[in-house]
Amino acid sequence: MSAELINLAAASTTVAGRLGAIAYGLAAIGPGVGIGLVFGHSIEAMARQPEAMPIIRTNMFLGFALCEVLALLGLVVPFIFQK
């Protein structure tokens, strides 16, 4: 009976590792879409108002950084909450 428990524990560790990878894959979808929207809309805004380019560029990089932080959190959180 103890061999069955050992096999069950090993299987649950493998599943937990795979769930962390799946969670990061799902967490990377949102920031990917967000970064695409940030750059797409900023390019459109620069094309409409070229004189406002420095302000738009600053806000673009700020939005990019915030979206990228979400992706990094999605990478780190499964490691923090491991059993």
Side-chain angles (χ1 to χ4, degrees):
M1 184 128 144
S2 64
E4 292 175 3
L5 290 175
I6 292 172
N7 289 337
L8 182 62
S12 67
T13 303
T14 305
V15 170
R18 290 182 184 158
L19 288 179
I22 291 170
Y24 174 65
L26 292 175
I29 291 172
V33 171
I35 289 170
L37 289 174
V38 165
F39 280 101
H41 288 295
S42 64
I43 290 171
E44 181 181 348
M46 286 182 214
R48 288 177 185 238
Q49 290 186 333
E51 67 274 3
M53 191 179 307
I55 296 169
I56 295 169
R57 185 181 301 133
T58 302
N59 290 334
M60 176 186 69
F61 285 123
L62 182 63
F64 169 73
L66 292 174
C67 287
E68 195 63 33
V69 165
L70 289 176
L72 292 174
L73 280 175
L75 177 65
V76 171
V77 167
F79 291 114
I80 291 174
F81 294 116
Q82 259 185 355
K83 288 186 177 182

